[in-house]
Amino acid sequence: MGLALLGCVGALKELRCLLGLYFGMLLLLFATQITLGILISTQRAQLERSVQDIVEKTIQNYRTNAEETAAEESWDYVQFQLRCCGWHSPQDWFRVHSLRGNGSEAHRVPCSCYNLSATNDSTILDNVILPQLSRLGPLARSRHSTDICAVPAKSHIYREGCAQSLRKWLHNNLISIVGICLGVGLLELGFMTLSIFLCRNLDHVYNRLARYR
């Protein structure tokens, strides 16, 4: 919004300095996007390993620190939206001791792994859906920092890992993602062209106005 306001003021007031600044910032933004795209395409394997390490660390430290739950709540939201459990499979949660309540040896997984379409249990529905709908609210954060919602691994949970679900989502939405990126890039190129064209032709406009005066 600030960049658009800068371009609008420069065009309306016909100020070369603002138009040049607008062009330079837009060019920097465009170059940054191109660089990020190249890095993501060439370093895809390393990026996937980095994401895997972050997710595995988040799973292992699940609910161990009541003051730091942002990453854990975000991962619960990912599992809820992608309908998956764990990174590779639900077995990623089996080594998390905080999910074993009352010293039980039964394997348990977070409620975000629960398959809602396979149950009509209102208690589980409230525990799964309400935190996801209000997960950005302070009441939801304070409540879930102390209470751990977990279900048995033998119940109706998602059996697919989020790594495979994420790959499927990217594959199904690849055309849309590429189309949006190309559209934004072409729009930025168009604005850069218009700004530099207006900036270069200000002298001609001033000369014509001087003749009429």
Side-chain angles (χ1 to χ4, degrees):
M1 292 177 61
L3 189 60
L5 180 63
L6 184 66
C8 289
V9 173
L12 292 175
K13 298 298 183 179
E14 296 182 348
L15 299 175
R16 270 190 167 184
C17 58
L18 291 183
L19 289 174
L21 183 61
Y22 173 75
F23 174 81
M25 294 179 65
L26 205 57
L27 180 62
L28 180 62
L29 179 63
F30 182 75
T32 303
Q33 293 170 347
I34 294 296
T35 304
L36 287 176
I38 294 175
L39 289 176
I40 291 174
S41 61
T42 56
Q43 305 292 329
R44 185 166 48 186
Q46 184 177 356
L47 179 62
E48 184 175 350
R49 285 195 300 269
S50 299
V51 173
Q52 178 180 340
D53 293 339
I54 294 174
V55 172
E56 290 179 348
K57 182 178 179 181
T58 301
I59 292 176
Q60 290 302 318
N61 297 328
Y62 191 78
R63 301 305 185 192
T64 56
N65 189 347
E67 301 297 329
E68 299 178 2
T69 60
E72 299 160 6
E73 291 178 358
S74 298
W75 182 244
D76 278 333
Y77 184 74
V78 170
Q79 291 187 143
F80 177 76
Q81 291 294 329
L82 295 181
R83 298 183 178 182
C84 55
C85 188
W87 179 249
H88 298 290
S89 68
Q91 295 181 0
D92 294 338
W93 291 102
F94 292 174
R95 297 184 297 272
V96 181
H97 297 287
S98 60
L99 295 177
R100 298 182 181 181
N102 299 324
S104 174
E105 295 297 327
H107 296 304
R108 297 166 67 87
V109 296
C111 287
S112 56
C113 289
Y114 200 80
N115 189 350
L116 298 177
S117 61
T119 182
N120 293 321
D121 191 339
S122 60
T123 303
I124 296 180
L125 290 176
D126 291 340
N127 289 334
V128 175
I129 294 179
L130 292 181
Q132 307 307 327
L133 295 178
S134 59
R135 68 189 187 92
L136 297 179
L139 295 178
R141 279 198 297 270
S142 60
R143 181 186 64 187
H144 288 277
S145 61
T146 56
D147 299 333
I148 300 178
C149 178
V151 295
K154 294 182 179 180
S155 59
H156 302 287
I157 65 173
Y158 300 116
R159 300 296 175 181
E160 186 176 62
C162 291
Q164 186 175 357
S165 298
L166 184 59
R167 293 190 191 100
K168 288 182 179 179
W169 184 87
L170 290 175
H171 178 74
N172 295 334
N173 296 275
L174 182 61
I175 297 178
S176 299
I177 295 173
V178 173
I180 292 174
C181 292
L182 288 177
V184 172
L186 291 175
L187 196 62
E188 290 175 346
L189 285 175
F191 284 145
M192 283 190 292
T193 303
L194 291 175
S195 63
I196 199 66
F197 177 80
L198 180 60
C199 187
R200 291 186 60 182
N201 285 272
L202 285 179
D203 289 339
H204 300 288
V205 174
Y206 291 147
N207 291 334
R208 291 179 181 178
L209 291 176
R211 292 177 183 176
Y212 289 110
R213 290 177 184 176

